[in-house]
Amino acid sequence: MDSHGQGEQRVVWGVVDSDIGPLLLAATREGLVSVVFHATDAVRDRAVERLASRLGTEPVEAPGSPLLTEAIRQVEAYFAGERRDFDLPLDWSLISGFNREVLRELASGVPYGTVVGYGDLAGRVGQPGAAQAVGMAMGANPLPVVVPCHRVVESGGGIGGFGGGLETKRKLLALEGVLPEPLF
């Protein structure tokens, strides 16, 4: 390792306030690696422990780090209605295989203000019978909001499930103009 720490993995994190509550954002030198909903102290502590275990290094709270600054700026702009697309490097190391393939297709192929069915997304990755597996991939998404799993809905018009809670999914879809704003 050189004196600039280039030989070891570095993980930094910070919490940003949003219309759906506090979000923990974590990044490596590769890019944004994790977004965690409802980042209260207890949730934050568990998320940081999981990241340490999965990435093999202790994450450091550093919201002003150059690795996080742009991600925080873009997330804030998204919730302010000033940004529709995220243009960030992403670290996909927390997900692999079919799940990664589905999430990459979701990130590149389902734009702001649109939705896709679980089965339709399965078909896009060449697995038309894998709607349930797509649902599992959405639940495993380490980068919600930025990789927009909230845009995946049931083919019959239902909203489907969501790791951040259905009210959070409704708020995100309302922000993007897909659903009416919740009344309360």
Side-chain angles (χ1 to χ4, degrees), residues 7 15 17 31 45-46 52 66-67 87 102 107-109 132 143 155 175 183:
V15 174
D17 288 322
D45 291 346
R46 282 193 307 274
L67 298 175
D87 184 20
V102 168
S108 65
Q132 246 183 331
L143 296 161
S155 60
L175 173 70
L183 296 176

Side-chain angles (χ1 to χ4, degrees), residues 113-179:
T114 66
V115 294
V116 65
Y118 293 95
D120 293 334
L121 191 53
R124 289 185 187 192
V125 296
Q127 300 289 328
Q132 246 183 331
V134 166
M136 299 298 286
M138 296 305 104
N141 182 2
L143 296 161
V145 180
V146 175
V147 175
C149 52
H150 60 277
R151 296 180 190 154
V152 183
V153 298
E154 295 174 352
S155 60
I159 196 168
F162 194 63
L166 291 181
E167 188 56 33
T168 299
K169 186 171 187 172
R170 284 186 192 95
K171 286 181 178 181
L172 289 167
L173 291 172
L175 173 70
E176 295 188 10
V178 176
L179 291 176

Side-chain angles (χ1 to χ4, degrees), residues 4 28 47 90 98 100 103 115 122 126 129 144 146 149 154 159 174:
H4 296 93
T28 67
L90 300 178
F98 177 80
R100 183 187 291 190
L103 292 171
V115 294
V146 175
C149 52
E154 295 174 352
I159 196 168

Side-chain angles (χ1 to χ4, degrees), residues 5-62:
Q6 296 298 311
E8 70 181 48
Q9 173 77 294
R10 176 163 160 80
V11 181
V12 295
W13 65 271
V15 174
V16 61
D17 288 322
S18 77
D19 292 350
I20 57 170
L23 297 171
L24 181 141
L25 304 182
T28 67
R29 285 187 177 94
E30 298 298 314
L32 190 65
V33 71
S34 181
V35 176
V36 178
F37 291 116
H38 316 299
T40 60
D41 289 347
V43 169
R44 182 202 66 220
D45 291 346
R46 282 193 307 274
V48 169
E49 285 176 22
R50 271 194 316 274
L51 285 168
S53 172
R54 303 248 347 249
L55 296 173
T57 188
E58 192 63 37
V60 176
E61 184 175 13

Side-chain angles (χ1 to χ4, degrees), residues 74-97:
Q74 288 189 28
V75 166
E76 289 173 341
Y78 170 81
F79 283 104
E82 300 164 356
R83 174 172 279 281
R84 292 174 161 234
D85 301 305
F86 293 96
D87 184 20
L88 296 167
L90 300 178
D91 179 338
W92 294 95
S93 64
L94 294 178
I95 196 121
S96 62

